[in-house]
């Protein structure tokens, strides 16, 4: 099947077999993508990408789940690492004194970034509901939700409390910057 994808800001017209997982397609297009993707089956978490604005494991997406008549936008850690959000997360790693190990650094950083965006969304929704009820609230993510999401990364190199502190700090950096999120 034919696919058109913008991968890390470059456009590719691809001809792939429909049952090929996206992780293998990316391995061929971006050689560095395959460095730590060891499991090929939803165990290591290291094939994490942003596909059309959703965080997902590339090994779980067969090509036929993508549409031939659409241009799919894929971001890997390669370009994510150059964003302001990635720099904010690195700053919070340093401030908390905890960061992912070398093996899961890219995937866990992407996972943490997805939790930060969800936390911001949760605060927005919560603030909206609270303002309608006449009281202000500023909740981040529920602990069990955060810990469930982190299961996707098979590596236990960071404590949950550290990850929670990192998420909170990055949300603070970003809200101080008055809504400049990217
Ligand atoms: S290669 Fe996808 S989770 Fe390990």
């Amino acid at each position: 099947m034919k696919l058109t994808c913008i991968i890390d800001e470059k456009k590719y017209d691809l001809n792939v077999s429909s049952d090929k997982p996206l992780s293998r397609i990316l391995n061929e297009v971006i050689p560095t993508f395959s460095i730590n993707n060891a499991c090929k089956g939803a165990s290591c978490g290291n094939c994490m990408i942003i596909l059309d604005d959703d965080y997902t494991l590339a090994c779980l997406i067969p090509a036929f789940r993508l549409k031939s008549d659409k241009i799919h936008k894929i971001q890997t850690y390669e370009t994510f690492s150059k964003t302001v959000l990635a720099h904010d997360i690195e700053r919070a790693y340093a401030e908390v004194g905890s960061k992912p190990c070398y093996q899961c650094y890219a995937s866990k950083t992407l996972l943490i970034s997805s939790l930060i965006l969800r936390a911001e969304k949760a605060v927005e929704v919560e603030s909206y509901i609270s303002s309608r009820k006449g009281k202000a609230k500023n909740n981040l993510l529920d602990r069990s939700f955060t810990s469930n999401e982190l299961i996707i990364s098979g590596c236990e190199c960071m404590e949950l409390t550290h990850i929670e502190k990192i998420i909170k700090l990055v949300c603070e950096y970003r809200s101080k910057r008055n809504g400049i999120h990217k």
Side-chain angles (χ1 to χ4, degrees), residues 37-47 57 59:
N37 300 341
C39 79
K40 315 281 186 258
S43 297
C44 69
N46 285 343
C47 63
L57 295 174
C59 68

Side-chain angles (χ1 to χ4, degrees), residues 145-157:
F145 175 81
T146 306
S147 117
N148 278 343
E149 287 292 296
L150 288 166
I151 289 171
I152 212 171
S153 161
C155 183
E156 295 178 0
C157 59

Side-chain angles (χ1 to χ4, degrees), residues 9 38 47 50 71-72 76 86 98 108 111 122 125 141 147 161 172 174 179:
E9 294 165 8
C47 63
I50 306 169
I71 299 178
H72 291 280
T76 72
S98 173
K108 197 164 274 160
L111 198 51
V125 171
L141 296 175
S147 117
T161 49
E172 284 169 11
R174 284 160 62 82

Side-chain angles (χ1 to χ4, degrees), residues 97-165:
S98 173
K99 63 180 182 180
C101 67
Y102 170 75
Q103 187 139 5
C104 75
Y105 193 95
S107 61
K108 197 164 274 160
T109 301
L110 275 175
L111 198 51
I112 288 171
S113 78
S114 82
L115 290 169
I116 290 163
L117 297 178
R118 285 202 202 209
E120 288 178 338
K121 200 86 192 149
V123 169
E124 267 172 36
V125 171
E126 192 62 47
S127 305
Y128 175 73
I129 294 167
S130 302
S131 69
R132 307 264 300 184
K133 288 181 184 163
K135 55 176 180 172
K137 222 173 169 189
N138 191 31
N139 282 347
L140 283 177
L141 296 175
D142 178 67
R143 167 167 275 223
S144 62
F145 175 81
T146 306
S147 117
N148 278 343
E149 287 292 296
L150 288 166
I151 289 171
I152 212 171
S153 161
C155 183
E156 295 178 0
C157 59
M158 288 176 85
E159 287 177 24
L160 181 57
T161 49
H162 289 164
I163 292 175
E164 287 174 326
K165 275 187 202 162

